[in-house]
Amino acid sequence: MIDFSLSEEHTSLIEMARRFTKERITPIAAECDRDSRFPMDVFKEAWEIGLINPTCPAEYGGSGMGELENALITEELAYGCTGIQTSMLANGLALTPIKLAGSEEQKKKYLGMLTAEPILASYATTEPDAGSDVAGLKTKFTQHGDDYVLNGQKCWITNASYARFYVVFATADTALRHKGIAAFIVDRDSPGLRVGKKEDKLGQRASDTAQIFLDDVKVPKENLLAPAGKGFKLAMETFNQTRPDIGAGATGLMRRALDECVAYAKERKTFGTAIGNHQLVQWMLAEMAIRAEGTRLLYQKAAWNLDRGVRDPIISSFAKAYGADSAMATAVDAVQVFGGNGYVKEYPVEKLMRDAKVLQIYEGTSQIQRIVIAKQLLSG
Ligand SMILES: Cc1cc2nc3c(=O)[nH]c(=O)nc-3n(C[C@H](O)[C@H](O)[C@H](O)COP(=O)(O)OP(=O)(O)OC[C@H]3O[C@@H](n4cnc5c(N)ncnc54)[C@H](O)[C@@H]3O)c2cc1C
């Protein structure tokens, strides 16, 4: 039997995350955006009440929640600010490959670190010449005795400035493409690892994004997460598990846009009546609501599948692609509903428009999602 209702546990989790967002994120979002500042104090508070690393299994000190609960938290935090939400929940990108492929010792050490104290970790595939084309990455690893040495450069890495460790993808030989790629857990304090400049971004400015340079970085053999030939698959499986969260973040952003627009449409008058009485404005509001609810259904189905162990990457890509494109369209409409006031920083919707854009870029662009979807359709 199909049942769309959420359990009591889900409802109280949503209420807790919603209260936290209202009290701790929404009030500082504009300031963090202006100053390009990640609010570490708020991250620590969120960690204290269990909103960070929710999918970390109980045996490693986590709460062992599922992907659905993770996505429900994401939607709530994103309502306040998708920049803060992205950075707060980016640990999920680093812990997922460790959960999927890590040895018992790696899980104990690194998942244990995430649950022992409020720290951040990053996931690094992207390089200056390899974004969409993950198989084209050039960061090289060589074996030295039992250990490995990494050389290369990563860019656009969320939380790179703060991360205590990184999951880094590197190749044995660029000619091998996906067959040469391995994954490593690299400690922040490894000699030869340097964090580069922090990006000055269009949107999601509260989220830290920076480069990493790896110059003869020695990685002990016990930190090999996936050997050559298995790393690419691990990167793709990680995205399969984390893409529904982009849909969830998009839903939070759209809900915020809709709430702001409904309130404004009741207040603002033109031609002697509230703009909410004009059918062309009503049409925009209705479209926003359809997109938000459509994305919510997609991300919840994708997360529900993952929690039941059903592997269905096409739904993860639906949630990511439809959610990101819907959020962008909704945020553009929100600026339109506000008219001139939508175009200035005194009102919250211009930030939503800037923040929404990156949803169509990170974790596989909207074009790449279409490619993933079409490949699966054509392969039957
Ligand atoms: C704020 C931010 C945070 C990020 N965080 C992380 C992170 O934590 N870790 C990490 O590893 N990466 C991260 N990224 C990187 C992100 O995943 C890449 O930017 C993204 O995958 C796109 O790669 P690219 O920028 O090199 O664009 P390119 O791959 O150069 O693409 C440029 C354009 O060409 C299109 N395109 C490319 N190939 C094709 C094709 N075959 N068919 C059709 N169109 C195509 C793309 O869709 C895009 O429109 C982040 C990026 C940003 C902006």
Side-chain angles (χ1 to χ4, degrees):
M1 192 177 89
I2 292 180
D3 184 355
F4 290 100
S5 57
L6 294 171
S7 68
E8 259 178 51
E9 287 80 13
H10 290 142
T11 310
S12 42
L13 181 67
I14 290 171
E15 277 168 10
M16 197 246 283
R18 191 168 292 181
R19 201 174 327 113
F20 184 82
T21 300
K22 189 172 172 211
E23 290 170 5
R24 302 297 291 123
I25 298 181
T26 310
I28 57 163
E31 176 209 315
C32 289
D33 172 66
R34 187 194 62 214
D35 300 343
S36 191
R37 177 177 72 83
F38 177 59
M40 195 54 90
D41 52 336
V42 176
F43 168 73
K44 286 179 181 161
E45 284 175 46
W47 183 90
E48 295 288 348
I49 61 168
L51 292 175
I52 308 298
N53 313 316
T55 58
C56 203
E59 58 265 47
Y60 308 109
S63 51
M65 289 189 219
E67 296 298 337
L68 179 58
E69 287 86 353
N70 189 42
L72 295 174
I73 294 172
T74 304
E75 179 183 330
E76 293 310 319
L77 302 187
Y79 185 94
C81 175
T82 49
I84 295 175
Q85 165 257 311
T86 290
S87 262
M88 279 201 180
L89 300 180
N91 278 1
L93 261 176
L95 75 81
T96 299
I98 298 176
K99 248 173 62 172
L100 288 170
S103 65
E104 194 49 34
E105 290 69 30
Q106 288 170 343
K107 288 179 189 169
K108 266 193 192 136
K109 179 170 177 189
Y110 290 99
L111 301 184
M113 275 166 72
L114 292 173
T115 55
E117 53 176 325
I119 60 161
L120 293 163
S122 297
Y123 171 91
T125 59
T126 309
E127 301 179 359
D129 293 324
S132 303
D133 183 12
V134 176
L137 61 82
K138 291 183 181 138
T139 294
K140 198 114 195 275
F141 74 88
T142 45
Q143 199 154 358
H144 285 233
D146 278 346
D147 298 328
Y148 300 90
V149 173
L150 268 57
N151 277 289
Q153 182 184 346
K154 297 288 175 184
C155 62
W156 303 115
I157 306 307
T158 300
N159 293 342
S161 311
Y162 300 104
R164 196 71 74 78
F165 65 87
Y166 307 88
V167 172
V168 175
F169 293 80
T171 182
D173 178 355
T174 51
L176 293 173
R177 302 256 317 150
H178 61 278
K179 289 187 184 141
I181 295 175
F184 303 87
I185 306 171
V186 182
D187 292 317
R188 166 62 177 270
D189 56 9
S190 306
L193 188 149
R194 184 170 64 82
V195 177
K197 81 174 165 72
K198 177 178 157 180
E199 302 297 343
D200 185 8
K201 305 194 297 292
L202 170 76
Q204 298 208 354
R205 291 171 55 79
S207 168
D208 174 77
T209 316
Q211 300 169 316
I212 307 170
F213 297 93
L214 301 141
D215 190 6
D216 280 336
V217 174
K218 196 169 162 196
V219 179
K221 68 172 189 306
E222 56 270 20
N223 280 25
L224 175 70
L225 184 58
K230 298 257 170 77
F232 182 81
K233 227 175 156 188
L234 179 61
M236 295 304 118
E237 190 50 36
T238 299
F239 286 138
N240 175 40
Q241 306 229 350
T242 57
R243 280 175 180 155
D245 297 330
I246 309 291
T251 307
L253 186 147
M254 287 189 267
R255 228 180 72 215
R256 175 68 181 276
L258 187 58
D259 285 356
E260 296 291 346
C261 286
V262 166
Y264 190 79
K266 287 181 183 169
E267 294 265 311
R268 175 74 181 169
K269 289 194 171 64
T270 65
F271 300 93
T273 188
I275 60 167
N277 291 324
H278 300 310
Q279 287 188 350
L280 292 179
V281 173
Q282 291 176 359
W283 183 81
M284 286 192 277
L285 300 179
E287 283 294 316
M288 288 181 193
I290 294 168
R291 293 186 202 116
E293 187 61 18
T295 306
R296 182 178 291 115
L297 290 170
L298 284 173
Y299 91 66
Q300 292 192 354
K301 182 171 181 194
W304 180 72
N305 269 341
L306 291 168
D307 287 336
R308 288 160 59 242
V310 175
R311 204 180 169 281
D312 192 3
I314 203 166
I315 295 282
S316 292
S317 284
F318 286 171
K320 205 280 176 185
Y322 184 74
D325 295 350
S326 294
M328 193 65 232
T330 295
V332 169
D333 279 352
V335 171
Q336 196 66 21
V337 168
F338 273 66
N341 285 335
Y343 206 63
V344 290
K345 291 190 195 298
E346 277 109 289
Y347 292 85
V349 291
E350 62 83 35
K351 173 178 178 298
L352 298 180
M353 194 172 107
R354 290 184 287 106
D355 287 351
K357 186 63 209 169
V358 78
L359 301 174
Q360 295 179 301
I361 297 172
Y362 59 23
E363 291 198 40
T365 64
S366 290
Q367 288 74 29
I368 293 301
Q369 300 312 313
R370 265 68 182 190
I371 292 171
V372 171
I373 292 165
K375 264 192 188 155
Q376 288 173 71
L377 294 175
L378 293 167
S379 69

